[in-house]
Amino acid sequence: MKNLNQQARFRMYNNPKLKLTNATSISSGQVAWRCPSNIALVKYWGKYGIQYPRNTSISYTLSAAHTDTFMSYKTLATDSQNGKINLAFTFEGKPQGAFAAKLEKFLNSLLPIFPFLSQLELVVESANSFPHSSGIASSASSMAAIACCLCSMEQQLFNTLSDETEFWRKASYIARLGSGSACRSVYGTAAIWGEHPEFAASSNDFAIQQTEFHPLFQNYKDAVLIVDRAEKSVSSRAGHALMETNPYAATRYEQANTHLAALVKAMQTGDMTTFIRIVEAEAMVLHALMMCSEPSYILMRPNTLSVIEKIRTYRQETKVPVCFTLDAGPNVHVLYPEKHAAEVEAFILNELEPLCVDGYWIADQVGKGPIALSEVTIA
Ligand code: PMV
């Protein structure tokens, strides 16, 4: 039964009617989106099927860390037929073979959802606001930007997504197929992904927006400290796969769901103690799961631990509510309320910056979600 439901869900957006015909008036156009990255507070770690999460997760949507994607299209004289995509891709002005191949494969896999893609010549240009290997999830922002572009293209060509709710839900669904956590990047402030009994609208298929927080948790700050720039020794894809044999997996999935409900409640009521306890526990558990995978691996570096210890000591001594989280990598996200920005940023400059590679860190904060690039001036 579960398998049947899964198959039905996968087909939920399949639509053979989205084909260009002689009656289609548009023959070329351009769509463009700026999409932010996100930082998970309760982590998605473990998946099944086509990017379905083993547990519910929640993230803050970022702002400064984003991807700009421009997608131009022109109708081909003849349909390139049978699942072939006609794509030219550049990243930051240069051809980027590895991502181009990944994108082409992804677009091919989307043909049942967007059959018109094989009737177009596509030119995709993409750029990130943050450097490579900076500890920012570029797959989240880049896949979310691609998803938004595809939905805008559908809207331009067929006018089928004029309902905003439906547009964002579909964009989130498509982003999820590209990179699980990307589905949370299409909503401003924060997003929850994965079915949870206490959130009626929650789904494994797409994320839902969460904006109702106590003022303390609005406009939260995230300073991303780059303590190591090396390529990760184990990819997220491999890390998710190792959860299938992790002896603590079942307990972990249950814990994540409990954490999520308690965290959202804390963010709604302004309960900082619970927020800090859960957010830091989530970071530690994520890395503990890596350490007790078979084979075991460690993505933290010595300076990751030094930063963590300094944050905890500073918090204890000053009572300033600053905490940390980690992604699947060594770099540390320092989280703090906007009203404590001055003292926390002085602390970062004095004590944490010396632990960063070349003193490099990125000052980010919670943002409003994707922006259509016609609405901004590109620097
Ligand atoms: O979306 P993926 O497959 O890159 O996995 C992301 C996993 C974490 O960043 C570690 C956690 C999360 O929820 O974003």
Side-chain angles (χ1 to χ4, degrees):
M1 190 62 195
K2 188 147 195 201
N3 267 345
L4 266 183
N5 283 342
Q6 277 169 25
Q7 278 172 22
R9 286 198 330 215
F10 181 58
R11 286 198 297 268
M12 97 185 223
Y13 281 115
N14 285 8
N15 188 352
K17 289 197 194 127
L18 296 181
K19 271 283 199 188
L20 305 172
T21 65
N22 291 339
T24 313
S25 56
I26 300 175
S27 61
S28 65
Q30 192 191 52
V31 289
W33 283 92
R34 168 170 294 177
C35 280
S37 186
N38 67 75
I39 179 65
L41 303 173
V42 173
K43 311 290 179 183
Y44 147 60
W45 199 238
K47 64 177 177 180
Y48 66 96
I50 301 173
Q51 234 83 273
Y52 283 120
R54 288 281 185 203
N55 64 262
T56 316
S57 58
I58 182 170
S59 53
Y60 264 145
T61 305
L62 297 178
S63 170
H66 57 248
T67 300
D68 287 348
T69 297
F70 297 81
M71 207 179 267
S72 309
Y73 60 91
K74 211 159 49 182
T75 46
L76 289 164
T78 50
D79 188 335
S80 59
Q81 294 296 342
N82 302 331
K84 280 278 164 268
I85 297 289
N86 187 318
L87 169 74
F89 175 79
T90 52
F91 179 72
E92 294 176 355
K94 298 190 200 96
Q96 223 271 20
F99 192 80
K102 193 174 159 190
L103 180 59
E104 193 174 320
K105 194 167 162 218
F106 178 51
L107 296 178
N108 267 308
S109 76
L110 294 180
L111 281 171
I113 298 173
F114 300 117
F116 59 87
L117 287 176
S118 66
Q119 299 175 289
L120 300 172
E121 188 185 323
L122 293 168
V123 177
V124 179
E125 297 167 73
S126 200
N128 290 342
S129 64
F130 49 90
H132 185 61
S133 295
S134 60
I136 305 256
S138 65
S139 60
S141 53
S142 60
M143 283 303 171
I146 298 280
C148 290
C149 285
L150 292 172
C151 290
S152 281
M153 207 187 289
E154 176 185 329
Q155 171 60 11
Q156 271 183 12
L157 291 167
F158 301 94
N159 198 25
T160 34
L161 290 170
S162 48
D163 172 335
E164 284 232 355
T165 308
E166 184 45 34
F167 180 95
W168 293 114
R169 181 177 299 161
K170 186 163 183 176
S172 179
Y173 179 96
I174 301 298
R176 184 201 101 231
L177 297 177
S179 170
S181 59
C183 72
R184 298 183 310 235
S185 268
V186 307
Y187 293 112
T189 308
I192 292 174
W193 172 40
E195 279 164 21
H196 192 292
E198 290 181 41
F199 298 88
S202 63
S203 169
N204 284 345
D205 289 301
F206 42 76
I208 56 168
Q209 189 173 28
Q210 189 72 31
T211 54
E212 301 299 311
F213 296 127
H214 184 279
L216 259 183
F217 294 106
Q218 305 281 354
N219 310 319
Y220 227 66
K221 298 271 185 180
D222 177 11
V224 191
L225 308 189
I226 313 307
V227 302
D228 194 294
R229 275 182 181 278
E231 266 316 311
K232 281 190 278 191
S233 55
V234 179
S235 68
S236 284
R237 175 192 290 262
H240 284 293
L242 284 171
M243 282 301 284
E244 293 305 299
T245 51
N246 190 301
Y248 303 101
T251 318
R252 158 60 193 162
Y253 301 141
E254 238 175 76
Q255 177 198 48
N257 290 344
T258 309
H259 273 171
L260 185 110
L263 184 79
V264 172
K265 194 161 160 236
M267 292 172 78
Q268 285 167 342
T269 57
D271 178 354
M272 185 58 82
T273 309
T274 302
F275 176 85
I276 291 176
R277 177 177 60 76
I278 293 178
V279 167
E280 292 194 350
E282 279 290 316
M284 292 308 211
V285 166
L286 174 68
H287 284 260
L289 288 165
M290 296 171 190
M291 287 187 237
C292 64
S293 289
E294 282 178 36
S296 152
Y297 64 106
I298 304 177
L299 294 186
M300 287 196 268
R301 304 295 304 141
N303 276 355
T304 312
L305 289 178
S306 301
V307 167
I308 289 173
E309 280 173 355
K310 278 188 181 288
I311 290 171
R312 286 186 162 171
T313 305
Y314 173 80
R315 184 169 72 228
Q316 216 163 16
E317 285 171 357
T318 62
K319 308 293 174 224
V320 172
V322 52
C323 69
F324 67 86
T325 189
L326 305 167
D327 240 332
N331 300 318
V332 185
H333 289 248
V334 186
L335 298 169
Y336 48 100
E338 192 180 31
K339 71 174 189 177
H340 291 285
E343 62 262 46
V344 175
E345 283 159 21
F347 159 65
I348 292 173
L349 284 176
N350 291 336
E351 295 200 40
L352 305 183
E353 195 179 276
L355 298 167
C356 299
V357 181
D358 302 326
Y360 186 62
W361 58 282
I362 300 166
D364 210 339
Q365 63 186 41
V366 171
K368 293 187 178 14
I371 310 172
L373 283 178
S374 52
E375 292 167 21
V376 290
T377 316
I378 310 292

